[in-house]
Amino acid sequence: MGDERAQRLDDALSSLVDTLIPALPDEDEATADERRDDALDLARSIIEGHGSPAVVSDVNHAADLIKKKLLRENDSPDKAVRFSNLYARLLTQPVLSQKWSILYLLHQLADSGGEEDVRSEGSQGFDAGRRPDSRDIKLGSKSDGHDTQVFEDAFASTGLPRLPLQESQPKFRSSNSGPAGRRNHTQDGRKVEPVEGDDLEIDTSHTIAPSESALLRDLPFTLQGLSSTNLPFTSLTSLDLPRTLPLPILSLLHTLAEPSLLYRSLSDFTQSSDEGLIGQSLRSAIGSELRSYLGLIATLEGEIRRAITSLDVGEQQGRIGKAGVTLKRCVIWTREATMGLRLMSLMVEKAKSRKGGQLISMIHAFSTSHGDPFVGAFAERMLSHVTRPFYDMLRQWIYDGELSDPYHEFFVSKHDSYDTGEDPQKAPATSVWEEKYKLDEAMIPSIVTEEFARKVFLIGKSLNFIRYGCGDSAWVEAYCKEASRELRYGDTATLESSIDIAYKATMARLIHLMDDKFQLFEHLNALKRYLLLGQGDFIALLMESLSTNLDRPAGSQYRHTLTAQLEHAIRGSNAQFDSPDILRRLDARLTEMEKGDTGWDVFTLEYKVDAPVDVIITPWANRQYLKIFNLLWRVKRVEFALGSTWRRCMTGARGVLAVVDAKMSKDWKTARCCIAEMIHFVNQLQYYILFEVIEASWDQLHSAIHKQDCTLDDLIEAHTKYLKAITHKGLLGSSRHNSITGHREDVFTAQLHELLKIMLAYKEAVDGLYSFSVTEFLRRQELSAKIETRTAQGKWGLTEKDEEDLNSPTPFASAKPTTQATDSPFPINALALGGAGSDDAMLPALRKRLQELSADFKSRVNNLLGDLAVQPDVDMKFLAVVMNFNDVYNPKKRRRDHHRAGEKKTPGQSGETVKKDGEDSRAALVAEEKGKSREVGKGGGSIGAATRLAEKKLPAK
């Protein structure tokens, strides 16, 4: 390791010598090498024989001396400040362990004056400061005696024994530099006090210009930011100090210059204008503190004048301290005021980018996050002034419901763009409540919590809504006169109690108005009974009275006809006992119609609400109610259709169907089982939606809106949650992304619509089977009557031709077409049963159609139950269990994106097509329906007329 270090030193010395020694133009190579070797040997001898200086390694003392040297040699303190920063960074470097040596080298280089003077053992500069050198080598001239003496003072083993001399002061040195030569003597008739341990003597009787009394006389003007003879201000941020003063005096003046400059900047800030009440309040608070500061300066000026006048002119020189006033004492007296000015200056700097609540939070941070008690108390005193506009705005907001904030400094902001003309989807009251005022969280000051701010925001918004939305300004004015009180910073108990009282009173009044005056809960109950089919007798009567009209195309529907049927249903049910105000809001209307729509597709009920109830029953809520009503109305329609078919089948089983039972008993048994299965499905679906979903969610809504301390926001949130629950659990809210189409689609809505369509198609097929059975019954009745007539005439009852007709596969070939059926809702020709040429395939086509629809129904039910079984909601899983309680179905878990690829498309039927939210092509359905209608006009006999004829003949039998 030692050899390696020596090698590094040799390499470094060689490189240094090659750099420093210049090449001479006329010198040959041998001479140059010899000169280089001599210089290298000289450098090695210096390093080996120099040793370490015999001084104490006091790094802090050496740094102080370097700093003083920089201050003495430079007019501005910039270099000294920069050295202090570099010195602080040097101390933080753990890698550099020889910090004192570094400073030693730097100071020595600074004193060398550009040419290093390596002094010998007996040289003047190191006689008391270091160990003797082995050799006396001189490179260049010596530095002056003053620099040598300063160096000795910096690195002396006993530290700095004397004060450094200023350049303006005379320097005296004794003839002997050692300790024995130091003694008392006089020079130029003035006595010089000896300094122990050194040869430097200071003249204490030398006069300082300007004198301390003159500086004290100008000090009050300087502290007020005014220029004086000795201390002039060159700019707003600079003060010119006399350069003839010693460093201690300059240090004191530097300290006293800080409050002077801070006062000038703060005074300029208070005179500036600001567009903000809280910013103006901050300027007022700072102006009050500056007036207190001026009071201190006035007191200080009185003390200075008293001290100066107590001494005569001759005694003022050097004896001003005996009067009790000095620059140092002035520094002490202004120390606390300087801290206050410094703190206010920091607040002013941070306040440039803040306003309102942000400004209050900034000042409050000094009070809560600073450990100095003085800073905390000062910030609290400032807050008591700055927060006055804030508490005035707060008081007007929570007691009057009015926002008085012209500069947007409060944490409640008003939006003037809440007018409904910009957004027609929003109701007026909804915009007033939700859009007129907003809570600006960035402006919430730290002196209040976020929960407190939200409560304040709700109080003012409720009062404003009571005044303008509910038209109850009289109560608001009376409440303001009764409850209004002054709010100020620091009185936390009064503030919290005031907010709690205002909150309870405002919320109670608002809920009372919504309940009693505007009957909010009555409207919610009416929506449940009429749009959610809670009024069963009304819905049944309305369905029965409208069924004939709604079977016709949508273009033939008239609103006055629907309104008349609605009034008939109201008068014929318990709905007639409801309030007239409730009933007048209920109306029947037609939605937008498209080509091929029937009355069932465009009919809907509507419940109208006015302000301010539409704050809760919003346009979005009305759309949700309409969506739920459309689903329930379609389910109810399918139930009504299946019920009518079931009653016809049960009635015919005792008459018409009993006659043809031998031929079609298996078909009717299968059809009745499938219809019963469909009725079970519809009943369970209705029970689930009406009771498990709507009633359960209604109980939660009722509990939420009747709880104590309920607010209008709580009502809106509870009603929104209620609608989301019934739409999601009611198989209307679940959606997923279809990778084939790239759009989101409902999971269950499309499946339910397909199932409802299949049920209606199956009902029509069963009606066709019933019509076929009636026709068969009529044929047999005709044949029996013919036999009886022939027997009475003495002829054979059956001829060969009759036997051929009985054995013919086209039993309806001889049937004559009669008038077209106008009362039958099912087109037999749609099943390929019309026309003489297709009579032979009539019954097989019916059987095939019924079989296909039954299989399709079971397949789709299996898919639906499979999707319900994997839902996270317990109620939806319960629906799957109820529908498959005896495991008659086999639920299928299909792929989520491609499960619809293999589904069969159900053809639409004439007058019975269920609207399906854009899943099938409506144009194709219309074309198909028109073709089937033409077939009805061309083919077979009147099925409806045959049915009525058969029913008339049944009693005769």
Side-chain angles (χ1 to χ4, degrees):
M1 180 63 71
D3 296 340
E4 182 180 355
R5 183 173 182 275
Q7 182 63 33
R8 289 203 310 270
L9 289 176
D10 288 341
D11 294 341
L13 284 176
S14 299
S15 178
L16 182 63
V17 168
D18 292 340
T19 303
L20 296 177
I21 295 180
L24 301 178
D26 298 335
E27 188 178 24
D28 57 359
E29 183 177 357
T31 307
D33 291 341
E34 181 180 0
R35 187 163 58 88
R36 177 184 178 281
D37 293 339
D38 293 340
L40 187 62
D41 293 338
L42 177 61
R44 288 196 185 100
S45 63
I46 292 174
I47 293 176
E48 293 173 358
H50 188 273
S52 60
V55 294
V56 179
S57 58
D58 188 359
V59 62
N60 293 327
H61 184 247
D64 291 339
L65 190 61
I66 293 176
K67 187 187 299 184
K68 291 179 181 179
K69 178 179 178 61
L70 293 174
L71 290 173
R72 183 175 64 252
E73 295 178 355
N74 298 278
D75 296 336
S76 64
D78 296 338
K79 292 186 178 181
V81 172
R82 184 180 180 188
F83 172 79
S84 299
N85 295 334
L86 294 174
Y87 174 65
R89 292 172 59 185
L90 176 66
L91 295 179
T92 59
Q93 299 295 326
V95 179
L96 302 176
S97 59
Q98 302 295 330
K99 298 180 178 61
W100 177 85
S101 301
I102 294 173
L103 296 177
Y104 178 93
L105 176 62
L106 292 176
H107 193 277
Q108 188 174 6
L109 292 175
D111 286 339
S112 64
E115 294 181 290
E116 186 68 25
D117 183 9
V118 182
R119 299 168 181 83
S120 61
E121 176 184 8
S123 63
Q124 183 178 0
F126 290 94
D127 56 340
R130 67 176 187 178
R131 294 192 300 267
D133 295 338
S134 59
R135 297 180 61 181
D136 186 8
I137 304 170
K138 296 182 180 180
L139 297 175
S141 62
K142 292 184 180 181
S143 61
D144 55 45
H146 174 68
D147 291 339
T148 303
Q149 186 61 35
V150 171
F151 181 79
E152 292 177 5
D153 294 340
F155 297 99
S157 59
T158 58
L160 186 63
R162 68 189 70 79
L163 291 174
L165 285 176
Q166 301 293 329
E167 295 179 358
S168 58
Q169 294 177 327
K171 304 182 183 67
F172 304 99
R173 187 176 300 276
S174 61
S175 58
N176 296 328
S177 61
R182 301 188 181 99
R183 59 187 179 275
N184 299 341
H185 64 280
T186 59
Q187 182 175 345
D188 298 336
R190 293 178 295 180
K191 184 176 182 181
V192 180
E193 297 292 337
V195 180
E196 182 179 358
D198 202 350
D199 56 355
L200 181 64
E201 296 175 352
I202 303 176
D203 184 8
T204 58
S205 62
H206 181 71
T207 302
I208 299 176
S211 63
E212 186 173 5
S213 60
L215 294 175
L216 287 173
R217 187 179 293 107
D218 294 344
L219 183 61
F221 301 98
T222 303
L223 293 176
Q224 297 180 61
L226 302 176
S227 297
S228 59
T229 304
N230 298 312
L231 301 172
F233 285 93
T234 58
S235 66
L236 182 65
T237 58
S238 61
L239 176 64
D240 191 9
L241 300 180
R243 303 186 181 185
T244 58
L245 297 175
L247 285 179
I249 301 298
L250 287 176
S251 176
L252 294 176
L253 291 179
H254 269 289
T255 305
L256 292 172
E258 181 183 3
S260 305
L261 297 174
L262 291 177
Y263 175 82
R264 284 172 63 91
S265 62
L266 292 174
S267 178
D268 183 69
F269 173 75
T270 56
Q271 295 175 4
S272 63
S273 60
D274 181 80
E275 293 186 357
L277 297 179
I278 296 180
Q280 295 175 13
S281 181
L282 174 63
R283 285 166 170 75
S284 176
I286 293 177
S288 178
E289 294 294 331
L290 292 182
R291 286 191 292 273
S292 300
Y293 169 78
L294 291 179
L296 173 64
I297 300 305
T299 304
L300 181 61
E301 183 180 9
E303 293 293 331
I304 293 175
R305 290 179 179 276
R306 188 178 302 107
I308 292 177
T309 55
S310 62
L311 300 174
D312 54 18
V313 178
E315 294 178 344
Q316 290 181 8
Q317 181 65 30
R319 299 185 59 188
I320 188 66
K322 296 182 180 180
V325 178
T326 61
L327 291 176
K328 191 169 186 179
R329 289 184 179 180
C330 291
V331 170
I332 296 174
W333 290 342
T334 58
R335 179 173 298 173
E336 185 173 343
T338 303
M339 292 178 62
L341 294 173
R342 190 182 304 158
L343 186 58
M344 287 189 291
S345 178
L346 184 59
M347 291 179 182
V348 168
E349 288 296 325
K350 292 186 176 182
K352 292 181 179 179
S353 59
R354 294 176 173 87
K355 69 174 185 176
Q358 300 173 346
L359 191 58
I360 296 176
S361 300
M362 181 269 295
I363 300 175
H364 187 249
F366 287 97
S367 175
T368 57
S369 304
H370 205 286
D372 192 343
F374 172 80
V375 175
F378 187 87
E380 289 289 323
R381 187 168 66 251
M382 291 286 292
L383 281 175
S384 62
H385 294 279
V386 175
T387 56
R388 287 178 182 175
F390 172 79
Y391 281 103
D392 290 340
M393 289 184 282
L394 178 63
R395 183 192 60 79
Q396 193 168 2
W397 175 252
I398 65 174
Y399 290 125
D400 200 34
E402 297 289 348
L403 181 61
S404 177
D405 184 20
Y407 301 106
H408 306 288
E409 297 176 296
F410 199 53
F411 57 81
V412 177
S413 59
K414 181 178 180 181
H415 294 265
D416 295 332
S417 60
Y418 71 93
D419 190 2
T420 55
E422 297 183 2
D423 189 359
Q425 298 295 329
K426 291 184 176 295
T430 306
S431 299
V432 170
W433 179 258
E434 296 181 356
E435 304 294 336
K436 185 176 181 180
Y437 294 106
K438 293 292 185 181
L439 180 63
D440 189 358
E441 296 182 357
M443 283 295 177
I444 299 178
S446 58
I447 59 176
V448 298
T449 62
E450 186 174 353
E451 181 182 0
F452 180 88
R454 293 188 181 277
K455 186 179 290 188
V456 169
F457 171 69
L458 189 58
I459 292 172
K461 188 168 68 167
S462 300
L463 286 173
N464 188 272
F465 184 73
I466 291 174
R467 178 190 293 271
Y468 297 106
C470 301
D472 195 8
S473 58
W475 181 86
V476 176
E477 294 175 359
Y479 166 76
C480 180
K481 293 179 181 179
E482 178 184 357
S484 181
R485 64 185 64 184
E486 183 182 1
L487 303 176
R488 61 181 181 274
Y489 177 76
D491 195 357
T492 307
T494 303
L495 179 62
E496 292 181 354
S497 63
S498 301
I499 294 299
D500 291 339
I501 294 173
Y503 182 80
K504 293 179 180 179
T506 305
M507 295 303 108
R509 180 61 182 179
L510 182 57
I511 298 301
H512 171 75
L513 289 174
M514 298 299 291
D515 186 11
D516 293 348
K517 183 177 180 180
F518 301 106
Q519 299 180 348
L520 170 64
F521 307 128
E522 295 295 331
H523 292 311
L524 292 177
N525 192 21
L527 285 167
K528 173 179 174 291
R529 288 188 288 112
Y530 295 117
L531 294 188
L532 303 184
L533 308 192
Q535 191 76 25
D537 57 342
F538 166 77
I539 296 299
L541 185 57
L542 182 64
M543 180 75 68
E544 183 178 355
S545 61
L546 287 176
S547 59
T548 305
N549 291 331
L550 296 182
D551 285 336
R552 295 196 296 266
S556 62
Q557 304 295 327
Y558 299 99
R559 186 170 182 179
H560 65 271
T561 305
L562 301 178
T563 305
Q565 296 295 336
L566 176 62
E567 293 178 356
H568 169 71
I570 291 175
R571 289 193 301 268
S573 63
N574 288 330
Q576 61 181 320
F577 302 109
D578 278 345
S579 170
D581 181 66
I582 298 295
L583 296 178
R584 72 176 178 83
R585 298 176 183 274
L586 187 63
D587 191 14
R589 67 181 181 91
L590 299 174
T591 59
E592 295 183 4
M593 62 183 68
E594 298 180 6
K595 189 176 181 180
D597 285 345
T598 63
W600 296 103
D601 299 323
V602 297
F603 172 79
T604 185
L605 287 181
E606 181 182 27
Y607 190 86
K608 302 176 182 178
V609 293
D610 301 328
V613 179
D614 56 358
V615 169
I616 297 176
I617 307 174
T618 60
W620 174 85
N622 286 328
R623 291 192 295 270
Q624 301 304 309
Y625 279 115
L626 181 61
K627 183 188 297 185
I628 301 166
F629 171 78
N630 288 334
L631 175 63
L632 293 175
W633 182 253
R634 292 172 183 176
V635 174
K636 203 71 176 178
R637 175 208 175 182
V638 173
E639 182 194 24
F640 178 78
L642 292 177
S644 62
T645 301
W646 179 262
R647 289 192 299 271
R648 177 178 294 181
C649 293
M650 293 299 101
T651 303
R654 297 188 296 270
V656 176
L657 300 183
V659 177
V660 297
D661 188 62
K663 183 178 181 180
M664 307 177 63
S665 60
K666 185 177 180 180
D667 298 328
W668 277 111
K669 183 178 180 180
T670 303
R672 282 193 291 266
C673 290
C674 189
I675 289 178
E677 188 177 343
M678 293 179 179
I679 291 175
H680 169 75
F681 177 86
V682 171
N683 289 338
Q684 293 300 326
L685 181 62
Q686 281 194 104
Y687 165 78
Y688 166 75
I689 296 178
L690 293 177
F691 294 96
E692 296 294 336
V693 176
I694 295 178
E695 289 295 336
S697 301
W698 175 260
D699 290 339
Q700 297 177 2
L701 174 64
H702 189 271
S703 301
I705 63 181
H706 286 92
K707 70 178 182 180
Q708 190 177 5
D709 298 334
C710 181
T711 66
L712 189 58
D713 281 331
D714 294 337
L715 292 180
I716 296 174
E717 181 181 359
H719 186 248
T720 304
K721 183 179 179 181
Y722 164 71
L723 290 178
K724 289 182 178 179
I726 62 180
T727 52
H728 174 70
K729 294 183 179 180
L731 311 182
L732 290 172
S734 300
S735 62
R736 65 184 169 201
H737 182 78
N738 192 331
S739 61
I740 299 177
T741 61
H743 301 287
R744 297 193 65 85
E745 61 179 11
D746 292 336
V747 177
F748 300 111
T749 305
Q751 299 184 54
L752 287 177
H753 287 172
E754 289 293 336
L755 284 170
L756 296 177
K757 283 182 61 177
I758 292 173
M759 293 179 194
L760 290 175
Y762 194 86
K763 176 257 182 188
E764 293 174 356
V766 171
D767 288 343
L769 183 64
Y770 184 82
S771 300
F772 182 88
S773 301
V774 170
T775 305
E776 177 68 18
F777 169 77
L778 291 176
R779 189 184 67 83
R780 294 188 181 188
Q781 288 290 332
E782 183 181 354
L783 181 60
S784 177
K786 184 183 295 186
I787 292 174
E788 291 179 358
T789 303
R790 289 179 178 178
T791 304
Q793 294 176 357
K795 298 179 181 181
W796 293 100
L798 291 176
T799 63
E800 293 181 359
K801 185 177 182 302
D802 294 332
E803 291 180 355
E804 291 178 0
D805 291 338
L806 287 174
N807 297 326
S808 174
T810 58
F812 299 124
S814 60
K816 301 296 182 181
T818 59
T819 58
Q820 182 178 356
T822 58
D823 59 344
S824 176
F826 40 86
I828 300 302
N829 307 89
L831 303 175
L833 301 179
S838 61
D839 288 342
D840 56 344
M842 191 176 300
L843 184 57
L846 281 171
R847 290 172 177 172
K848 182 180 179 181
R849 178 64 174 169
L850 291 172
Q851 185 179 1
E852 290 178 353
L853 291 174
S854 177
D856 196 7
F857 172 76
K858 291 182 179 180
S859 175
R860 292 182 183 276
V861 170
N862 288 331
N863 294 335
L864 177 63
L865 296 181
D867 289 341
L868 289 174
V870 298
Q871 294 298 314
D873 190 85
V874 179
D875 294 332
M876 301 178 75
K877 290 183 178 179
F878 175 73
L879 175 61
V881 173
V882 170
M883 288 185 175
N884 194 25
F885 67 96
N886 55 357
D887 293 334
V888 69
Y889 299 107
N890 296 318
K892 298 180 181 179
K893 295 182 179 180
R894 301 169 298 163
R895 295 180 62 184
R896 299 193 58 84
D897 291 334
H898 305 285
H899 72 282
R900 295 174 58 88
E903 292 184 355
K904 297 180 180 180
K905 183 177 179 182
T906 304
Q909 302 298 328
S910 173
E912 298 288 341
T913 304
V914 180
K915 188 175 181 181
K916 201 184 67 169
D917 294 343
E919 291 184 5
D920 297 327
S921 174
R922 193 175 298 275
L925 290 176
V926 174
E928 183 181 358
E929 306 254 347
K930 288 183 178 180
K932 293 172 183 177
S933 299
R934 287 192 293 268
E935 292 178 1
V936 172
K938 294 178 181 179
S942 174
I943 303 299
T947 304
R948 290 195 298 272
L949 180 59
E951 291 174 351
K952 290 179 180 179
K953 291 185 177 182
L954 280 177
K957 182 179 178 182

